[in-house]
Amino acid sequence: MSIEGLVRDNVKKLAPYSSARDEFWGMDYVLLDANENPYDSDINRYPDPYQRELKAQVSEIRNIEAERIFVGNGSDEIIDLLFRCFCEPNQDTCLALSPSYGMYKVSAGINAVDIHYVSLNKDFSLDSKALIDEISDTDKLLFLCSPNNPTGNTFSHDHIQEICRQFHGIVVVDEAYIDFADQDSMIQSLDQFENLVVLQTMSKAWGAAGLRLGLGFMSREIVHYLNKIKPPYNVNVLSQNRALDLLSQSADYEKKVNEIISERSELEAGLKDCQAVIKVHPSEANYILVQFQQPKEMYKKLKSEGMIVRDRTATPLCQGCLRLTVGKPSENRKMLEVIKAFEK
Ligand SMILES: *Cc1c(COP(=O)(O)O)cnc(C)c1O
């Protein structure tokens, strides 16, 4: 399979915007090329369009070459760029699992690409044979979210690798919650599959949803094409700098992730003791999907106590379910008290 054969013709032919900082980044020149304001501050210059410092640091932390990293304005931007790169509007299609993250559908819709779904099994496991059977010739992208949002479970590497082998388009594995999981990242499989794209983000485990910083790991060739079509300065200076700070504080990151994981166990155990709860779905993420006897009433009760959770009752296979994000210990305790005290 060739990546080039999958890329849209207009993208192949495109001469990308050549930005002022493409060549002379980080060198000691007098910069009079970009109509910037000369008076120094931390933001008077355009950002590095290729986020070189940031990629160097991510490269060490995730143990992958910097040339195989793409940084986006949130992973949502990378999802959108993948559509623009590979899917011809009103012609190509994509495939996703149901239930899963809602942004794949929105992004497909924006790009005039039809999305079709394969249902997970009732226990949220993946029927990889059904998925492979559902693949059609016009599918260019296939989305797998692991740990899956909103169900919280992961899919096995064996299944994902089999899908990479069988699908002749791009397999996008969204690992927004991988830091909370027992399972390893698929990054180590990138060498084997040139059609694999792994997405991570600084929005969850790194505690930086406000930065808008998504990380994509992929073949050099896919990085090349995404670079052609991305907005030249897609990641701003403040976000790049703050991300560098955060990535250098790995002890703090680990402490918070471990705290959230241990709080998740406490919350799971507490919820299982509640009368109002029918089922606590096991989670490898920083949220728990919980089936309640009276989900709508529970949602209202929590809201009246000042707590907002996510109503997933209308989501396929999630009847009666609310998705509860693991908060701080005091927040989780308060939520549990309300749920425990709930009477029909
Ligand atoms: C939260 C989340 C993201 C993060 O998106 P950003 O744009 O990086 O904030 C990506 N994928 C899934 C499944 C998510 O739940």
Side-chain angles (χ1 to χ4, degrees):
M1 186 193 46
S2 94
I3 297 298
E4 198 191 349
L6 289 168
V7 173
R8 289 168 65 198
D9 279 340
N10 64 313
V11 172
K12 271 184 270 193
K13 289 183 198 143
L14 185 81
Y17 180 78
S18 78
S19 76
R21 289 299 121 78
D22 276 355
E23 285 179 74
F24 302 106
W25 180 257
M27 288 179 248
D28 195 15
Y29 288 105
V30 175
L31 296 169
L32 301 176
D33 57 333
N35 302 344
E36 294 154 332
N37 188 304
Y39 295 103
D40 284 334
S41 74
D42 56 347
I43 51 170
N44 69 315
R45 299 292 173 191
Y46 280 102
D48 174 6
Y50 301 113
Q51 309 97 14
R52 280 158 265 218
E53 241 183 299
L54 184 54
K55 285 179 185 172
Q57 198 153 331
V58 172
S59 156
E60 289 206 0
I61 293 173
R62 291 303 190 222
N63 194 21
I64 179 172
E65 304 94 300
E67 297 75 26
R68 301 175 66 167
I69 302 171
F70 182 87
V71 183
N73 187 355
S75 33
D76 287 350
E77 184 187 43
I78 309 180
I79 293 168
D80 178 67
L81 289 171
L82 288 165
F83 276 106
R84 296 192 198 202
C85 185
F86 293 107
C87 297
E88 206 60 61
N90 299 311
Q91 181 179 317
D92 291 331
T93 57
C94 70
L95 188 52
L97 295 164
S98 172
S100 194
Y101 186 42
M103 202 56 204
Y104 312 137
K105 182 180 181 179
V106 174
S107 206
I110 292 168
N111 288 288
V113 173
D114 273 345
I115 183 164
H116 57 128
Y117 294 101
V118 173
S119 177
L120 294 173
N121 295 318
K122 284 215 172 72
D123 63 357
F124 303 141
S125 60
L126 173 64
D127 186 344
S128 51
K129 187 173 177 307
L131 183 64
I132 289 163
D133 286 347
E134 178 65 22
I135 292 170
S136 86
D137 286 348
T138 53
D139 287 329
K140 294 291 163 65
L141 299 175
L142 189 163
F143 292 95
L144 301 169
C145 183
S146 180
N148 189 40
N149 183 1
T151 58
N153 57 308
T154 54
F155 304 127
S156 79
H157 283 200
D158 283 352
H159 278 156
I160 298 174
Q161 289 171 349
E162 182 58 17
I163 291 161
C164 289
R165 257 177 236 115
Q166 300 291 334
F167 183 51
H168 298 291
I170 306 295
V171 178
V172 183
V173 179
D174 187 340
E175 293 186 338
Y177 302 97
I178 194 70
D179 311 65
F180 304 108
D182 294 332
Q183 186 159 303
D184 291 333
S185 167
M186 282 294 291
I187 285 179
Q188 302 320 323
S189 299
L190 284 167
D191 276 336
Q192 262 173 285
F193 302 104
E194 59 169 357
N195 62 334
L196 173 63
V197 171
V198 177
L199 299 182
Q200 296 185 1
T201 178
M202 294 198 66
S203 294
K204 310 286 158 59
W206 291 95
L211 278 190
R212 310 308 304 127
L213 220 142
L215 301 169
F217 306 95
M218 58 199 83
S219 68
R220 287 177 179 76
E221 204 175 353
I222 302 179
V223 171
H224 163 77
Y225 285 113
L226 295 190
N227 278 338
K228 280 183 87 170
I229 61 172
K230 80 184 186 75
Y233 303 114
N234 60 327
V235 182
N236 72 69
V237 170
L238 298 177
S239 289
Q240 290 194 39
N241 288 342
R242 191 64 185 275
L244 279 167
D245 273 357
L246 286 173
L247 291 169
S248 69
Q249 293 157 27
S250 59
D252 186 58
Y253 149 86
E254 267 172 45
K255 183 162 163 275
K256 284 182 184 148
V257 167
N258 288 333
E259 175 106 355
I260 291 168
I261 292 172
S262 99
E263 276 296 306
R264 181 182 72 203
S265 309
E266 299 253 323
L267 197 53
E268 271 170 350
L271 286 163
K272 283 180 181 162
D273 275 344
C274 295
Q275 288 247 302
V277 170
I278 298 176
K279 187 167 174 54
V280 181
H281 291 285
S283 171
E284 292 199 52
N286 66 338
Y287 51 83
I288 306 175
L289 190 70
V290 183
Q291 189 183 25
F292 289 96
Q293 309 270 7
Q294 294 174 293
K296 294 283 181 193
E297 290 76 6
M298 182 61 78
Y299 180 90
K300 275 190 210 136
K301 179 68 189 164
L302 286 163
K303 192 174 152 205
S304 74
E305 300 284 342
M307 268 170 283
I308 306 300
V309 297
R310 197 76 194 263
D311 181 350
R312 297 280 77 169
T313 52
T315 302
L317 305 183
C318 299
Q319 279 135 325
C321 287
L322 303 178
R323 193 193 67 193
L324 316 177
T325 301
V326 180
K328 289 185 232 169
S330 61
E331 296 170 331
N332 303 330
R333 240 179 287 126
K334 187 175 164 205
M335 177 161 63
L336 256 185
E337 273 168 27
V338 176
I339 294 172
K340 269 213 165 82
F342 180 87
E343 288 169 44
K344 53 182 157 71

